[in-house]
């Protein structure tokens, strides 16, 4: 029997407040919780009531004035301020514009008021070399939620998905602490996909924040010969071990390069995935890899990183690959988080009201007792 076509999206106007509470970024360190105009849905657009939004390491680098976001050190400003930060959001549809299905791009269709949804971080323009050849996440001209004021983020009571956005439905019965991990775990999947892991590979993941922890789950699904995880935080290493790592090492206590080379007959690891965002981890990865190894970089750095490039070329002839966002990864990530295929237990450690945003930022900064801190703008979801 033929499968019935999904119900077409119907436009819906809602009785929304004129103003909402939002965290607004004006400059590095100048973030203010204040009244802000509530967004409304135009043609092809969706407005959601934000259920929660995670604080990302990228949010902290932005808050502290990283040149890669605000400009400087040879880079142009990426942020368009004043803007509302936050790109790890989920929420419920409260308003739908006309013809939303006509702008579905790679996302779902048939949206209805009350649907629980998520939108990919990137908002492409859909008309350049990359998006017209299926590589939309690298669009030369694009926006990313929570960094430009035309695509304000989720540290607010309401937010708008523009007509260029890529949107997906989320199961309503999926616990918040799991659903909020879809965005960072989609990034995890893309990073592991880039690594091209086989069952003969010794794989090293350096850094187990949320994306690194997600990578442990995805890498384990590829059945590597051995999965080694590195971090300076022993509590996070314990979690990585529970999530499937074969061995965990703290570089402040163990000579990682020597240890791994001894385990591999002097050759080194086959694959190194760098997701710590620390410059020392980059050089460490180049040294721990065997000749003809593969290095995947999936971090955003606050400052420029200097390494010995001769290792990449003359000494080892390495493959060096970058990783950016989570393209084509949302649907499998939603499915595998929902059915328990990916470990998520205790990743979300703190859930705070939006009014406590500074406390949340400080927790993420210290990284001592927290892993994923989420902010809840609407009290009904606390």
């Amino acid at each position: 029997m033929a499968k019935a076509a999904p119900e077409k999206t119907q436009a819906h106007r809602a009785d929304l407040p004129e103003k909402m509470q939002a965290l607004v970024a004006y400059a590095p360190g100048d973030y203010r919780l204040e009244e802000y105009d509530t967004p409304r849905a135009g043609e092809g657009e969706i407005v959601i009531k934000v259920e929660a939004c995670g604080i990302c390491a990228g949010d902290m680098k932005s808050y502290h004035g990283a040149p890669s976001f605000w400009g400087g050190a040879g880079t142009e400003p990426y942020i368009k301020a004043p803007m509302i930060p936050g790109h790890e959001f989920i929420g419920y549809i409260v308003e739908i514009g006309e013809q939303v299905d006509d702008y579905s791009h790679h996302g779902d269709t048939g949206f209805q008021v009350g649907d629980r949804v998520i939108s990919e971080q990137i908002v492409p323009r859909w008309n350049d070399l990359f998006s017209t050849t299926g590589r939309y996440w690298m669009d030369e001209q694009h926006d990313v939620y929570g960094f430009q004021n035309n695509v304000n983020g989720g540290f607010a009571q309401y937010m708008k998905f523009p007509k260029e956005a890529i949107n997906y439905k989320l199961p309503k019965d999926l616990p918040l602490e799991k659903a909020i991990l879809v965005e960072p775990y989609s990034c995890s999947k893309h990073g592991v996909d880039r690594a091209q892991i086989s069952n003969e590979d010794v794989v090293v993941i350096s850094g187990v924040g949320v994306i690194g922890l997600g990578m442990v789950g995805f890498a384990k699904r590829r059945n590597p010969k051995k999965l080694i995880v590195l971090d300076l935080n022993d509590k996070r290493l314990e979690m990585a071990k529970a999530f499937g790592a074969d061995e965990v090492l703290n570089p402040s206590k163990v000579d990682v390069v020597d240890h791994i080379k001894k385990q591999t007959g002097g050759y080194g690891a086959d694959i190194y995935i760098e997701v710590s965002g620390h410059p020392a981890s980059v050089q460490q990865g180049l040294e721990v890899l065997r000749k003809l190894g593969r290095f995947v970089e999936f971090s955003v750095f606050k400052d420029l990183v200097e390494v010995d490039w001769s290792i990449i070329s003359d000494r080892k002839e390495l493959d060096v690959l970058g990783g950016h966002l989570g393209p084509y990864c949302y649907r499998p990530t939603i499915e595998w988080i929902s059915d328990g295929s990916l470990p998520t237990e205790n990743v979300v450690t703190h859930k705070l009201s939006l009014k406590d945003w500074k406390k949340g930022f400080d927790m993420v900064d210290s990284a001592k007792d927290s892993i994923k801190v989420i902010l809840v703008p609407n009290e009904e979801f606390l």
Side-chain angles (χ1 to χ4, degrees):
M1 182 181 294
K3 189 176 181 181
E7 185 178 353
K8 289 281 287 184
T9 295
Q10 299 296 316
H12 173 85
R13 298 293 291 177
D15 184 17
L16 301 179
E18 289 186 9
K19 298 287 185 178
M20 64 177 180
Q21 284 286 300
L23 181 63
V24 183
Y26 287 90
D30 185 6
Y31 284 37
R32 312 172 200 171
L33 186 63
E34 59 188 27
E35 294 282 301
Y36 200 89
D37 288 342
T38 301
R40 304 307 299 258
E43 181 179 312
E45 298 176 338
I46 289 172
V47 171
I48 69 166
K49 190 171 192 176
V50 177
E51 182 179 1
C53 186
I55 303 173
C56 174
D59 292 318
M60 299 313 304
K61 291 181 173 71
S62 172
Y63 179 70
H64 291 302
S68 58
F69 294 117
W70 293 97
T75 62
E76 294 295 319
Y78 185 70
I79 286 176
K80 298 174 187 173
M83 58 79 184
I84 301 172
H87 58 273
E88 296 182 0
F89 50 80
I90 60 174
Y92 291 88
I93 296 177
V94 292
E95 186 170 79
I96 299 176
E98 301 283 346
Q99 299 177 305
V100 165
D101 282 350
D102 294 341
Y103 297 93
S104 65
H105 307 295
H106 298 291
D108 291 340
T109 57
F111 291 104
Q112 303 296 326
V113 169
D115 284 345
R116 194 188 200 192
V117 291
I118 190 170
S119 188
E120 290 201 29
Q121 317 97 301
I122 192 167
V123 181
R125 303 290 172 82
W126 298 108
N127 60 2
D128 81 355
L129 167 67
F130 297 105
S131 57
T132 56
T133 53
R135 298 169 290 179
Y136 65 89
W137 69 100
M138 296 305 299
D139 245 16
E140 194 70 30
Q141 298 297 320
H142 70 275
D143 296 300
V144 172
Y145 289 112
F147 293 99
Q148 290 89 32
N149 50 30
N150 55 308
V151 285
N152 279 319
F155 293 150
Q157 291 181 293
Y158 299 90
M159 66 176 293
K160 180 168 68 175
F161 298 172
K163 64 182 183 295
E164 297 86 2
I166 312 165
N167 311 318
Y168 305 92
K169 298 175 185 178
L170 289 171
K172 290 185 180 180
D173 61 352
L174 186 63
L176 168 59
E177 288 79 8
K178 293 178 179 289
I180 201 67
L181 298 178
V182 169
E183 186 276 334
Y185 270 37
S186 294
C187 293
S188 304
K189 183 181 188 304
H190 184 50
V192 170
D193 288 347
R194 292 286 282 163
Q196 305 163 58
I197 297 169
S198 80
N199 57 13
E200 298 179 1
D201 290 325
V202 173
V203 179
V204 178
I205 297 174
S206 177
V208 278
V210 178
I211 293 178
L213 285 169
M215 285 180 173
V216 174
F218 282 110
K220 198 65 179 176
R221 290 176 65 91
R222 290 177 174 263
N223 194 31
K225 181 178 181 180
K226 188 167 189 178
L227 179 59
I228 303 170
V229 173
L230 315 178
D231 202 277
L232 299 177
N233 187 313
D234 287 332
K235 289 183 179 179
R236 295 191 181 198
L237 288 176
E238 290 174 11
M239 186 172 290
K241 186 77 171 178
F243 279 17
D246 297 308
E247 185 176 17
V248 295
L249 301 172
N250 186 327
S252 69
K253 301 176 180 180
V254 178
D255 185 331
V256 168
V257 176
D258 180 68
H259 181 86
I260 293 175
K261 285 195 171 183
K262 284 179 178 176
Q263 289 191 0
T264 55
Y267 289 101
D270 301 282
I271 295 170
Y272 185 92
I273 305 176
E274 203 296 301
V275 69
S276 74
H278 195 287
S281 175
V282 180
Q283 183 68 27
Q284 174 182 262
L286 297 179
E287 293 174 2
V288 83
L289 278 171
R290 64 164 171 80
K291 294 179 179 179
L292 301 176
R294 186 175 302 123
F295 187 112
V296 178
E297 181 55 67
F298 208 94
S299 292
V300 177
F301 294 92
K302 181 179 181 296
D303 300 303
L304 296 179
V305 178
E306 293 184 3
V307 297
D308 184 353
W309 275 75
S310 295
I311 297 174
I312 298 170
S313 58
D314 183 60
R315 296 183 211 165
K316 293 188 177 181
E317 198 173 319
L318 300 178
D319 289 339
V320 179
L321 303 173
H324 179 55
L325 305 182
Y328 301 112
C329 294
Y330 277 66
R331 285 194 180 97
T333 299
I334 292 169
E335 177 184 347
W336 295 340
I337 287 178
S338 299
D339 68 15
S341 298
L342 291 172
T344 59
E345 295 77 14
N346 302 315
V347 174
V348 174
T349 53
H350 297 83
K351 182 168 66 171
L352 305 174
S353 170
L354 180 62
K355 68 177 182 291
D356 295 321
W357 68 270
K358 187 60 171 63
K359 178 181 178 182
F361 276 37
D362 289 343
M363 283 180 173
V364 176
D365 249 349
S366 68
K368 291 180 180 178
D369 301 311
S370 68
I371 299 177
K372 174 53 65 183
V373 179
I374 63 176
L375 299 179
V376 180
N378 293 286
E379 299 294 318
E380 67 196 79
F381 299 123
L382 273 173

